[in-house]
Amino acid sequence: MEKLLVILDASAFSNSACLLRLFRITVEGYTQKLENNDVCFGTAFHLFRKIFRDKGDCGMAEGLNVAKEYFIKTPMVVKPNKTYLTPLFLMRICMEYAEKYVHDKFKPIRVKTKKWITTNPGIENSGGFIEVEEPLLELKGAFPYYVDDEIEILMAFTIDEIGKESNSIVSICDAKTTSVWNIKEYLDSYELSCQLRFYKWSLLKYAEAYPESFIGELCKNDIGCFIDGIFYKGEKANVEYKRSNVMLFQDDPGMVEFNELVRIKVSNLIDAIQLSKVSAFVPIREGILNGACNTKYGLCNFFKVCSAVDDTTRNVILDYNFIKKPYNPLKFNESD
């Protein structure tokens, strides 16, 4: 029997208030056929940001072209209240962001790595490795969390940036594009949000597994986290660029509580997977009781499925409104 691989990340855990939703996404592999335009807008900005943070002004034209091409060519669902998210608006935000942070004191850490350079494209294996310094931008990683004879669970992360100011601590930076109005409340909310804590926890766990890695070296000292916010409010309104304070999560300094929360959730998911292997079991609709059916971004994506009258109808709606493919956050935004 082929072993089931389940990959979990910060986004998956953010959806885990309802175990059924987590199961649908990470085990069954259900995902929306098309992303909403505000999600695609954020992805396009991140493509620009990575190039700009690496190359500065020299990367402006390249970053703008990459972001614009992605946003124009990607099929998406346009939200009625987000029609102003156009390629022109994207270019505006990218250029304003670059103007604000061109002399940013916070800079990505660069690590030495070996990169293969091809000397003759017409000859197979022609070339060699050279040592280069790569910035810690859009850093992807994964590590094993649980393995048995039937199931393997990996923890995965993609971190926008790891950097520091001179004479300051290393920090994880997570960029967010959003239309929320209360900026202070939004930034403060990340003190108790899963995402930044998951990133820090992941680095610490990765360092435990691979102490000789550059992540192991970084984790010898404390690591902070902050949000790099881009707040838009409409086509003609000013866009605000604000960052949160650096968060150390001193309420859980060793990530002991967070580690236990992860352990409990993973244990529940494993129990659900094992039951599903011997029956037609899926978890019950926990959102009916705990409010997970209505998220801070609106109704859960599976709301119409769960509100159907019976399992047969729910399965029909699932197959009509979603596609199935393995949940792998390390391959998000890559073409199939």
Side-chain angles (χ1 to χ4, degrees):
M1 180 184 297
E2 185 178 354
K3 185 177 292 190
L4 174 66
L5 174 64
V6 177
I7 304 177
L8 301 175
D9 66 337
S11 179
F13 281 111
S14 295
N15 280 302
S16 68
C18 175
L19 187 62
L20 175 57
R21 181 167 59 200
L22 180 66
F23 187 88
R24 294 286 195 209
I25 294 170
T26 63
V27 179
E28 295 183 321
Y30 283 106
T31 186
Q32 290 178 280
K33 291 180 178 179
L34 295 177
E35 290 284 7
N36 293 327
N37 66 323
D38 54 349
V39 174
C40 296
F41 186 89
T43 299
F45 172 79
H46 275 75
L47 293 172
F48 164 80
R49 185 184 185 279
K50 179 184 179 182
I51 296 170
F52 170 72
R53 295 292 293 172
D54 180 16
K55 301 178 180 180
D57 272 349
C58 296
M60 276 287 292
E62 178 188 355
L64 290 171
N65 286 335
V66 169
K68 184 178 180 180
E69 182 177 15
Y70 170 85
F71 195 62
I72 289 175
K73 292 185 177 180
T74 300
M76 64 189 75
V77 176
V78 178
K79 289 183 174 181
N81 62 335
K82 298 287 178 65
T83 57
Y84 61 88
L85 296 181
T86 63
L88 184 62
F89 191 72
L90 173 65
M91 296 298 99
R92 169 192 162 187
I93 281 184
C94 290
M95 289 187 288
E96 288 181 359
Y97 182 89
E99 183 179 359
K100 181 174 179 65
Y101 291 116
V102 66
H103 300 300
D104 194 5
K105 293 181 180 179
F106 182 81
K107 299 185 182 301
I109 292 171
R110 296 178 181 268
V111 297
K112 291 182 179 180
T113 185
K114 290 184 178 180
K115 185 176 183 179
W116 178 267
I117 299 297
T118 300
T119 55
N120 191 333
I123 301 177
E124 186 176 357
N125 295 327
S126 65
F129 287 100
I130 63 170
E131 190 172 75
V132 296
E133 285 194 340
E134 293 284 354
L136 298 185
L137 296 165
E138 298 296 324
L139 176 68
K140 297 178 183 291
F143 57 92
Y145 184 82
Y146 173 88
V147 180
D148 64 20
D149 292 339
E150 298 180 338
I151 305 168
E152 180 175 1
I153 294 180
L154 295 181
M155 296 295 172
F157 57 86
T158 301
I159 298 175
D160 291 345
E161 182 172 0
I162 301 178
K164 68 188 299 290
E165 295 185 19
S166 59
N167 301 320
S168 185
I169 65 170
V170 172
S171 290
I172 295 166
C173 171
D174 190 55
K176 296 291 185 187
T177 57
T178 177
S179 61
V180 300
W181 288 83
N182 193 327
I183 294 175
K184 183 180 185 306
E185 183 178 281
Y186 177 85
L187 294 175
D188 289 347
S189 73
Y190 280 91
E191 281 282 0
L192 292 176
S193 169
C194 163
Q195 191 166 26
L196 292 182
R197 288 177 186 255
F198 180 85
Y199 289 155
K200 183 172 181 176
W201 174 82
S202 294
L203 292 186
L204 294 175
K205 299 296 284 187
Y206 191 97
E208 285 180 18
Y210 308 103
E212 303 303 318
S213 65
F214 69 85
I215 291 178
E217 192 66 30
L218 290 177
C219 290
K220 288 181 179 178
N221 299 301
D222 203 0
I223 294 179
C225 306
F226 70 90
I227 295 296
D228 184 12
I230 297 90
F231 300 89
Y232 52 78
K233 301 177 178 64
E235 182 179 6
K236 297 181 180 179
N238 290 333
V239 179
E240 297 190 57
Y241 305 86
K242 293 186 181 296
R243 290 174 173 174
S244 70
N245 294 326
V246 175
M247 305 171 199
L248 298 175
F249 305 127
Q250 293 175 329
D251 59 319
D252 188 16
M255 308 298 287
V256 175
E257 183 181 28
F258 190 86
N259 191 66
E260 180 65 5
L261 289 168
V262 172
R263 185 195 67 78
I264 293 170
K265 188 62 67 175
V266 171
S267 178
N268 292 340
L269 182 61
I270 290 171
D271 289 344
I273 293 170
Q274 290 173 337
L275 281 172
S276 72
K277 286 180 173 291
V278 296
S279 68
F281 170 86
V282 294
I284 59 177
R285 298 173 293 169
E286 295 178 333
I288 295 173
L289 184 65
N290 66 18
C293 299
N294 193 348
T295 76
K296 65 180 181 180
Y297 301 111
L299 297 179
C300 168
N301 290 337
F302 296 100
F303 187 92
K304 289 183 179 179
V305 176
C306 289
S307 61
V309 294
D310 53 39
D311 287 341
T312 301
T313 309
R314 288 168 194 160
N315 289 332
V316 170
I317 296 173
L318 271 172
D319 291 337
Y320 181 79
N321 289 312
F322 296 84
I323 58 173
K324 289 182 75 172
K325 62 180 181 180
Y327 181 78
N328 188 348
L330 297 178
K331 292 186 176 181
F332 285 176
N333 306 320
E334 293 182 8
S335 57
D336 294 332

